[in-house]
Amino acid sequence: MQIATTSESSTPIHQDFIHEIELGLIAPCASISPKFLYDPLGSHLFTAITLLPEYYPSNTEKGIFTQYQDQIAEAVGSGGTLIDLGAGNCQKAESFFHSLKPSNYLAIDFSSEYLLDSLKKLAGKYPHIAMQCIGMDFSKQLIIPDAIAKTKRTFFYPGSSLGNFLQSEALQLLGQIKNQANDGSLLIGVDLMKEDSVLMAAYDDPLKVTAAFNLNILRSINSHLGSNFRVEQFRHTVKVNHAENRVELYLEALEDLNVVWAGNSRAFKKGDLIHTENSHKYTIESIKALLKNAGFEKTQIWTDPKDYFAVIYAQ
Ligand code: AVI
């Protein structure tokens, strides 16, 4: 078993996080970056979300991967380094090991604890693939260490996570991917715009798993900041913003309350909102234009029969 963990300067720095969280909390419209959703419990809750029948992105993307596995493998080719962005439990990348036959697998995720656990299990099953993992906040900057082979880098970014970035941030990330692919390529999953009822069911599921995932961010913030958020004083709220083509997640205060942490505090009135996530939905035209702007000239696209989701190979 060969696993290398890297702690580059891009590894999350606690002090930067505290500053970022405080800025969001004291802003007139309070917000918390969605990356703080993914503490160890949050990562498990997200995995549970992907198993919900209402959360169509996961099962639809899986259907596309299964149906077009051969075409995708032919487009991507075999060998080289597979770089998995937001690897999580590494299961999606694993499903491509057989057809893409990477010689090297680099898993990158914000939640390094969860990632290392996942990678240890994987490395035992595929001793012929060299594996590395990096705990990195690539929402700020994506830096692939020089030690990672530069030839035939294929970035793998499934699950429509690009949608969690604003358009300008998404463009910047795609540009960084293009720069560091060295003539390589990107296999990406993107969620497409659809009717509100489908979106609302996916982001406000009847089992309340998404509510738990969203509320858990308050515990994650308490552990970073030493604040005294109480989960039971908030509720999960979802809006579809048609002007911006996105689903928005919030936490709504159920009563007047005051949150305190080292030397600072924030008062919330009943009904006040904390913005926790945007999930942008694309059209085929809008994602093609974004990829082109980032330097990806050629695309191959696969979708499902309802046009809910697209898998794109971009070069
Ligand atoms: C990770 N990301 C693509 C998910 C999404 O759909 O935007 C996160 C999520 N938030 C609520 N449910 C799932």
Side-chain angles (χ1 to χ4, degrees):
M1 177 164 92
Q2 187 188 4
I3 298 185
T5 58
T6 311
S7 58
E8 289 290 304
S9 55
S10 49
T11 299
I13 299 164
H14 192 65
Q15 212 44 46
D16 290 355
F17 285 170
I18 290 183
H19 186 60
E20 182 183 352
I21 295 166
E22 285 193 303
L23 281 182
L25 285 183
I26 60 177
C29 299
S31 67
I32 301 173
S33 163
K35 64 178 173 244
F36 297 107
L37 290 164
Y38 300 91
D39 70 350
L41 176 59
S43 298
H44 283 287
L45 288 169
F46 179 65
T47 300
I49 288 175
T50 64
L51 301 174
L52 295 170
E54 294 84 4
Y55 190 69
Y56 65 85
S58 298
N59 47 47
T60 311
E61 183 183 56
K62 194 171 176 198
I64 298 171
F65 282 156
T66 307
Q67 183 172 357
Y68 297 107
Q69 172 112 3
D70 293 349
Q71 288 183 24
I72 294 171
E74 200 185 315
V76 178
S78 61
T81 302
L82 190 63
I83 303 177
D84 192 356
L85 297 176
N89 61 16
C90 307
Q91 270 177 11
K92 283 186 198 166
E94 183 187 4
S95 70
F96 277 100
F97 283 177
H98 181 68
S99 55
L100 301 184
K101 301 182 180 55
S103 46
N104 202 14
Y105 172 60
L106 172 63
I108 302 179
D109 205 296
F110 179 70
S111 180
S112 47
E113 227 174 287
Y114 187 75
L115 181 62
L116 189 58
D117 256 18
S118 312
L119 204 70
K120 275 183 189 155
K121 286 179 202 142
L122 202 62
K125 279 169 79 180
Y126 302 91
H128 56 288
I129 303 177
M131 297 195 182
Q132 295 91 22
C133 68
I134 311 180
M136 186 196 292
D137 178 10
F138 60 85
S139 68
K140 292 264 175 282
Q141 196 177 22
L142 176 71
I143 302 172
I144 304 301
D146 281 343
I148 302 298
K150 291 200 165 49
T151 48
K152 196 168 177 349
R153 284 180 174 176
T154 304
F155 282 85
F156 183 51
Y157 198 28
S160 73
S161 297
L162 189 74
N164 297 129
F165 294 107
L166 297 173
Q167 177 96 348
S168 56
E169 298 165 338
L171 181 62
Q172 184 188 323
L173 175 61
L174 290 172
Q176 289 181 354
I177 293 174
K178 181 68 188 162
N179 278 341
Q180 297 189 57
N182 303 303
D183 262 353
S185 55
L186 167 68
L187 182 63
I188 187 169
V190 174
D191 198 10
L192 302 176
M193 200 55 191
K194 57 190 61 64
E195 56 271 35
D196 287 11
S197 56
V198 179
L199 294 172
M200 288 305 288
Y203 289 88
D204 198 6
D205 60 281
L207 270 184
K208 306 292 174 206
V209 183
T210 310
F213 171 67
N214 193 12
L215 285 161
N216 178 62
I217 204 170
L218 299 177
R219 293 188 175 174
S220 163
I221 293 308
N222 283 346
S223 74
H224 281 287
L225 204 59
S227 48
N228 64 344
F229 273 112
R230 282 173 51 212
V231 165
E232 59 277 20
Q233 291 181 310
F234 289 86
R235 73 174 178 132
H236 168 65
T237 304
V238 180
K239 294 182 189 179
V240 179
N241 181 335
H242 292 284
E244 299 289 345
N245 288 321
R246 69 191 185 205
V247 173
E248 297 172 350
L249 264 56
Y250 296 89
L251 293 170
E252 181 185 335
L254 292 170
E255 56 194 88
D256 294 355
L257 60 106
N258 200 33
V259 179
V260 295
W261 64 95
N264 221 331
S265 68
R266 167 77 198 239
F268 291 95
K269 287 253 171 268
K270 183 178 177 187
D272 280 355
L273 298 174
I274 305 177
H275 184 202
T276 51
E277 190 179 56
N278 290 318
S279 191
H280 291 85
K281 309 304 168 192
Y282 290 90
T283 61
I284 294 292
E285 292 67 35
S286 68
I287 186 63
K288 272 173 80 173
L290 189 64
L291 285 163
K292 194 159 185 215
N293 260 342
F296 291 97
E297 295 289 335
K298 260 177 72 184
T299 48
Q300 251 176 286
I301 302 176
W302 299 270
T303 59
D304 58 289
K306 290 182 179 161
D307 282 336
Y308 273 8
F309 201 91
V311 170
I312 304 174
Y313 181 61
Q315 283 172 295

PDB file of all heavy atoms in Angstrom, residues 295-315:
ATOM      1  N   GLY A 295     -10.584  28.449 -21.208  1.00  0.00           N
ATOM      2  CA  GLY A 295      -9.540  27.904 -22.091  1.00  0.00           C
ATOM      3  C   GLY A 295      -9.814  26.498 -22.598  1.00  0.00           C
ATOM      4  O   GLY A 295      -8.989  25.915 -23.301  1.00  0.00           O
ATOM      5  N   PHE A 296     -10.964  25.929 -22.228  1.00  0.00           N
ATOM      6  CA  PHE A 296     -11.308  24.593 -22.726  1.00  0.00           C
ATOM      7  C   PHE A 296     -12.089  24.754 -24.040  1.00  0.00           C
ATOM      8  O   PHE A 296     -13.254  25.144 -24.031  1.00  0.00           O
ATOM      9  CB  PHE A 296     -12.155  23.829 -21.699  1.00  0.00           C
ATOM     10  CG  PHE A 296     -11.402  23.434 -20.458  1.00  0.00           C
ATOM     11  CD1 PHE A 296     -11.476  24.207 -19.302  1.00  0.00           C
ATOM     12  CD2 PHE A 296     -10.603  22.296 -20.436  1.00  0.00           C
ATOM     13  CE1 PHE A 296     -10.777  23.843 -18.156  1.00  0.00           C
ATOM     14  CE2 PHE A 296      -9.907  21.923 -19.289  1.00  0.00           C
ATOM     15  CZ  PHE A 296      -9.991  22.696 -18.144  1.00  0.00           C
ATOM     16  N   GLU A 297     -11.426  24.445 -25.154  1.00  0.00           N
ATOM     17  CA  GLU A 297     -12.020  24.693 -26.475  1.00  0.00           C
ATOM     18  C   GLU A 297     -12.943  23.564 -26.920  1.00  0.00           C
ATOM     19  O   GLU A 297     -13.936  23.785 -27.600  1.00  0.00           O
ATOM     20  CB  GLU A 297     -10.899  24.853 -27.523  1.00  0.00           C
ATOM     21  CG  GLU A 297     -10.012  26.080 -27.309  1.00  0.00           C
ATOM     22  CD  GLU A 297     -10.741  27.389 -27.629  1.00  0.00           C
ATOM     23  OE1 GLU A 297     -11.703  27.354 -28.420  1.00  0.00           O
ATOM     24  OE2 GLU A 297     -10.341  28.424 -27.059  1.00  0.00           O
ATOM     25  N   LYS A 298     -12.561  22.329 -26.537  1.00  0.00           N
ATOM     26  CA  LYS A 298     -13.296  21.160 -27.051  1.00  0.00           C
ATOM     27  C   LYS A 298     -14.100  20.511 -25.939  1.00  0.00           C
ATOM     28  O   LYS A 298     -13.577  20.298 -24.837  1.00  0.00           O
ATOM     29  CB  LYS A 298     -12.291  20.120 -27.558  1.00  0.00           C
ATOM     30  CG  LYS A 298     -12.113  20.127 -29.075  1.00  0.00           C
ATOM     31  CD  LYS A 298     -11.052  19.131 -29.500  1.00  0.00           C
ATOM     32  CE  LYS A 298     -11.507  17.685 -29.366  1.00  0.00           C
ATOM     33  NZ  LYS A 298     -10.414  16.738 -29.703  1.00  0.00           N
ATOM     34  N   THR A 299     -15.369  20.189 -26.199  1.00  0.00           N
ATOM     35  CA  THR A 299     -16.158  19.487 -25.177  1.00  0.00           C
ATOM     36  C   THR A 299     -16.906  18.304 -25.801  1.00  0.00           C
ATOM     37  O   THR A 299     -17.329  18.371 -26.955  1.00  0.00           O
ATOM     38  CB  THR A 299     -17.210  20.409 -24.519  1.00  0.00           C
ATOM     39  OG1 THR A 299     -17.920  21.100 -25.548  1.00  0.00           O
ATOM     40  CG2 THR A 299     -16.599  21.398 -23.559  1.00  0.00           C
ATOM     41  N   GLN A 300     -17.059  17.267 -24.998  1.00  0.00           N
ATOM     42  CA  GLN A 300     -17.936  16.147 -25.354  1.00  0.00           C
ATOM     43  C   GLN A 300     -18.931  16.038 -24.207  1.00  0.00           C
ATOM     44  O   GLN A 300     -18.519  16.078 -23.031  1.00  0.00           O
ATOM     45  CB  GLN A 300     -17.122  14.860 -25.418  1.00  0.00           C
ATOM     46  CG  GLN A 300     -16.939  14.327 -26.843  1.00  0.00           C
ATOM     47  CD  GLN A 300     -16.039  13.111 -26.827  1.00  0.00           C
ATOM     48  OE1 GLN A 300     -14.840  13.270 -26.641  1.00  0.00           O
ATOM     49  NE2 GLN A 300     -16.604  11.943 -27.011  1.00  0.00           N
ATOM     50  N   ILE A 301     -20.216  15.942 -24.533  1.00  0.00           N
ATOM     51  CA  ILE A 301     -21.236  16.050 -23.475  1.00  0.00           C
ATOM     52  C   ILE A 301     -22.184  14.848 -23.482  1.00  0.00           C
ATOM     53  O   ILE A 301     -22.648  14.429 -24.546  1.00  0.00           O
ATOM     54  CB  ILE A 301     -22.062  17.352 -23.666  1.00  0.00           C
ATOM     55  CG1 ILE A 301     -21.108  18.550 -23.649  1.00  0.00           C
ATOM     56  CG2 ILE A 301     -23.133  17.496 -22.591  1.00  0.00           C
ATOM     57  CD1 ILE A 301     -21.758  19.880 -23.914  1.00  0.00           C
ATOM     58  N   TRP A 302     -22.451  14.314 -22.301  1.00  0.00           N
ATOM     59  CA  TRP A 302     -23.427  13.234 -22.143  1.00  0.00           C
ATOM     60  C   TRP A 302     -24.484  13.700 -21.143  1.00  0.00           C
ATOM     61  O   TRP A 302     -24.138  14.290 -20.103  1.00  0.00           O
ATOM     62  CB  TRP A 302     -22.756  11.968 -21.599  1.00  0.00           C
ATOM     63  CG  TRP A 302     -21.693  11.423 -22.497  1.00  0.00           C
ATOM     64  CD1 TRP A 302     -21.857  10.507 -23.505  1.00  0.00           C
ATOM     65  CD2 TRP A 302     -20.282  11.746 -22.473  1.00  0.00           C
ATOM     66  NE1 TRP A 302     -20.642  10.246 -24.106  1.00  0.00           N
ATOM     67  CE2 TRP A 302     -19.662  10.987 -23.497  1.00  0.00           C
ATOM     68  CE3 TRP A 302     -19.484  12.602 -21.707  1.00  0.00           C
ATOM     69  CZ2 TRP A 302     -18.295  11.056 -23.759  1.00  0.00           C
ATOM     70  CZ3 TRP A 302     -18.126  12.675 -21.963  1.00  0.00           C
ATOM     71  CH2 TRP A 302     -17.540  11.912 -22.984  1.00  0.00           C
ATOM     72  N   THR A 303     -25.764  13.451 -21.435  1.00  0.00           N
ATOM     73  CA  THR A 303     -26.838  13.827 -20.493  1.00  0.00           C
ATOM     74  C   THR A 303     -27.783  12.635 -20.285  1.00  0.00           C
ATOM     75  O   THR A 303     -27.689  11.631 -20.988  1.00  0.00           O
ATOM     76  CB  THR A 303     -27.685  15.018 -21.009  1.00  0.00           C
ATOM     77  OG1 THR A 303     -28.249  14.644 -22.265  1.00  0.00           O
ATOM     78  CG2 THR A 303     -26.861  16.276 -21.175  1.00  0.00           C
ATOM     79  N   ASP A 304     -28.706  12.805 -19.334  1.00  0.00           N
ATOM     80  CA  ASP A 304     -29.713  11.776 -19.059  1.00  0.00           C
ATOM     81  C   ASP A 304     -30.963  12.093 -19.880  1.00  0.00           C
ATOM     82  O   ASP A 304     -31.077  13.193 -20.427  1.00  0.00           O
ATOM     83  CB  ASP A 304     -30.037  11.784 -17.553  1.00  0.00           C
ATOM     84  CG  ASP A 304     -30.535  13.155 -17.127  1.00  0.00           C
ATOM     85  OD1 ASP A 304     -29.709  14.100 -17.094  1.00  0.00           O
ATOM     86  OD2 ASP A 304     -31.747  13.311 -16.893  1.00  0.00           O
ATOM     87  N   PRO A 305     -31.928  11.161 -19.961  1.00  0.00           N
ATOM     88  CA  PRO A 305     -33.115  11.394 -20.789  1.00  0.00           C
ATOM     89  C   PRO A 305     -33.928  12.630 -20.373  1.00  0.00           C
ATOM     90  O   PRO A 305     -34.584  13.257 -21.205  1.00  0.00           O
ATOM     91  CB  PRO A 305     -33.946  10.123 -20.600  1.00  0.00           C
ATOM     92  CG  PRO A 305     -32.970   9.082 -20.140  1.00  0.00           C
ATOM     93  CD  PRO A 305     -31.891   9.796 -19.399  1.00  0.00           C
ATOM     94  N   LYS A 306     -33.919  13.009 -19.090  1.00  0.00           N
ATOM     95  CA  LYS A 306     -34.709  14.180 -18.660  1.00  0.00           C
ATOM     96  C   LYS A 306     -33.909  15.482 -18.761  1.00  0.00           C
ATOM     97  O   LYS A 306     -34.413  16.549 -18.396  1.00  0.00           O
ATOM     98  CB  LYS A 306     -35.144  14.006 -17.201  1.00  0.00           C
ATOM     99  CG  LYS A 306     -36.188  12.932 -16.994  1.00  0.00           C
ATOM    100  CD  LYS A 306     -36.541  12.918 -15.506  1.00  0.00           C
ATOM    101  CE  LYS A 306     -37.587  11.909 -15.172  1.00  0.00           C
ATOM    102  NZ  LYS A 306     -37.599  11.596 -13.732  1.00  0.00           N
ATOM    103  N   ASP A 307     -32.662  15.387 -19.176  1.00  0.00           N
ATOM    104  CA  ASP A 307     -31.764  16.565 -19.217  1.00  0.00           C
ATOM    105  C   ASP A 307     -31.651  17.241 -17.845  1.00  0.00           C
ATOM    106  O   ASP A 307     -31.664  18.469 -17.729  1.00  0.00           O
ATOM    107  CB  ASP A 307     -32.230  17.590 -20.266  1.00  0.00           C
ATOM    108  CG  ASP A 307     -31.837  17.154 -21.664  1.00  0.00           C
ATOM    109  OD1 ASP A 307     -30.880  16.371 -21.800  1.00  0.00           O
ATOM    110  OD2 ASP A 307     -32.513  17.584 -22.610  1.00  0.00           O
ATOM    111  N   TYR A 308     -31.541  16.424 -16.816  1.00  0.00           N
ATOM    112  CA  TYR A 308     -31.357  16.949 -15.451  1.00  0.00           C
ATOM    113  C   TYR A 308     -29.897  17.285 -15.178  1.00  0.00           C
ATOM    114  O   TYR A 308     -29.594  18.125 -14.330  1.00  0.00           O
ATOM    115  CB  TYR A 308     -31.803  15.894 -14.419  1.00  0.00           C
ATOM    116  CG  TYR A 308     -33.277  15.918 -14.076  1.00  0.00           C
ATOM    117  CD1 TYR A 308     -34.170  16.729 -14.779  1.00  0.00           C
ATOM    118  CD2 TYR A 308     -33.780  15.127 -13.040  1.00  0.00           C
ATOM    119  CE1 TYR A 308     -35.514  16.741 -14.454  1.00  0.00           C
ATOM    120  CE2 TYR A 308     -35.124  15.146 -12.708  1.00  0.00           C
ATOM    121  CZ  TYR A 308     -35.983  15.946 -13.421  1.00  0.00           C
ATOM    122  OH  TYR A 308     -37.306  15.962 -13.088  1.00  0.00           O
ATOM    123  N   PHE A 309     -28.978  16.577 -15.836  1.00  0.00           N
ATOM    124  CA  PHE A 309     -27.567  16.624 -15.440  1.00  0.00           C
ATOM    125  C   PHE A 309     -26.697  16.384 -16.677  1.00  0.00           C
ATOM    126  O   PHE A 309     -27.122  15.711 -17.611  1.00  0.00           O
ATOM    127  CB  PHE A 309     -27.323  15.507 -14.399  1.00  0.00           C
ATOM    128  CG  PHE A 309     -26.114  15.716 -13.542  1.00  0.00           C
ATOM    129  CD1 PHE A 309     -26.206  16.383 -12.325  1.00  0.00           C
ATOM    130  CD2 PHE A 309     -24.863  15.261 -13.948  1.00  0.00           C
ATOM    131  CE1 PHE A 309     -25.090  16.575 -11.525  1.00  0.00           C
ATOM    132  CE2 PHE A 309     -23.732  15.452 -13.158  1.00  0.00           C
ATOM    133  CZ  PHE A 309     -23.847  16.113 -11.944  1.00  0.00           C
ATOM    134  N   ALA A 310     -25.503  16.943 -16.672  1.00  0.00           N
ATOM    135  CA  ALA A 310     -24.587  16.731 -17.810  1.00  0.00           C
ATOM    136  C   ALA A 310     -23.219  16.303 -17.306  1.00  0.00           C
ATOM    137  O   ALA A 310     -22.723  16.815 -16.303  1.00  0.00           O
ATOM    138  CB  ALA A 310     -24.463  18.016 -18.617  1.00  0.00           C
ATOM    139  N   VAL A 311     -22.621  15.340 -18.001  1.00  0.00           N
ATOM    140  CA  VAL A 311     -21.225  14.967 -17.767  1.00  0.00           C
ATOM    141  C   VAL A 311     -20.443  15.478 -18.980  1.00  0.00           C
ATOM    142  O   VAL A 311     -20.842  15.224 -20.125  1.00  0.00           O
ATOM    143  CB  VAL A 311     -21.074  13.434 -17.604  1.00  0.00           C
ATOM    144  CG1 VAL A 311     -19.598  13.032 -17.608  1.00  0.00           C
ATOM    145  CG2 VAL A 311     -21.737  12.973 -16.304  1.00  0.00           C
ATOM    146  N   ILE A 312     -19.381  16.207 -18.731  1.00  0.00           N
ATOM    147  CA  ILE A 312     -18.666  16.866 -19.823  1.00  0.00           C
ATOM    148  C   ILE A 312     -17.187  16.514 -19.770  1.00  0.00           C
ATOM    149  O   ILE A 312     -16.560  16.572 -18.693  1.00  0.00           O
ATOM    150  CB  ILE A 312     -18.825  18.405 -19.726  1.00  0.00           C
ATOM    151  CG1 ILE A 312     -20.307  18.774 -19.704  1.00  0.00           C
ATOM    152  CG2 ILE A 312     -18.097  19.115 -20.862  1.00  0.00           C
ATOM    153  CD1 ILE A 312     -20.587  20.249 -19.479  1.00  0.00           C
ATOM    154  N   TYR A 313     -16.645  16.141 -20.930  1.00  0.00           N
ATOM    155  CA  TYR A 313     -15.197  15.955 -21.036  1.00  0.00           C
ATOM    156  C   TYR A 313     -14.659  17.174 -21.790  1.00  0.00           C
ATOM    157  O   TYR A 313     -15.068  17.439 -22.925  1.00  0.00           O
ATOM    158  CB  TYR A 313     -14.873  14.659 -21.777  1.00  0.00           C
ATOM    159  CG  TYR A 313     -13.392  14.434 -21.889  1.00  0.00           C
ATOM    160  CD1 TYR A 313     -12.614  14.301 -20.750  1.00  0.00           C
ATOM    161  CD2 TYR A 313     -12.759  14.353 -23.136  1.00  0.00           C
ATOM    162  CE1 TYR A 313     -11.240  14.118 -20.831  1.00  0.00           C
ATOM    163  CE2 TYR A 313     -11.392  14.171 -23.222  1.00  0.00           C
ATOM    164  CZ  TYR A 313     -10.639  14.053 -22.072  1.00  0.00           C
ATOM    165  OH  TYR A 313      -9.282  13.886 -22.158  1.00  0.00           O
ATOM    166  N   ALA A 314     -13.808  17.926 -21.134  1.00  0.00           N
ATOM    167  CA  ALA A 314     -13.348  19.210 -21.711  1.00  0.00           C
ATOM    168  C   ALA A 314     -11.834  19.202 -21.898  1.00  0.00           C
ATOM    169  O   ALA A 314     -11.090  18.761 -21.024  1.00  0.00           O
ATOM    170  CB  ALA A 314     -13.760  20.351 -20.782  1.00  0.00           C
ATOM    171  N   GLN A 315     -11.388  19.717 -23.050  1.00  0.00           N
ATOM    172  CA  GLN A 315      -9.942  19.778 -23.353  1.00  0.00           C
ATOM    173  C   GLN A 315      -9.568  21.168 -23.805  1.00  0.00           C
ATOM    174  O   GLN A 315     -10.366  21.852 -24.445  1.00  0.00           O
ATOM    175  CB  GLN A 315      -9.614  18.822 -24.487  1.00  0.00           C
ATOM    176  CG  GLN A 315      -9.558  17.374 -24.068  1.00  0.00           C
ATOM    177  CD  GLN A 315      -9.418  16.465 -25.278  1.00  0.00           C
ATOM    178  OE1 GLN A 315     -10.335  16.401 -26.104  1.00  0.00           O
ATOM    179  NE2 GLN A 315      -8.296  15.799 -25.391  1.00  0.00           N
TER     180      GLN A 315
END
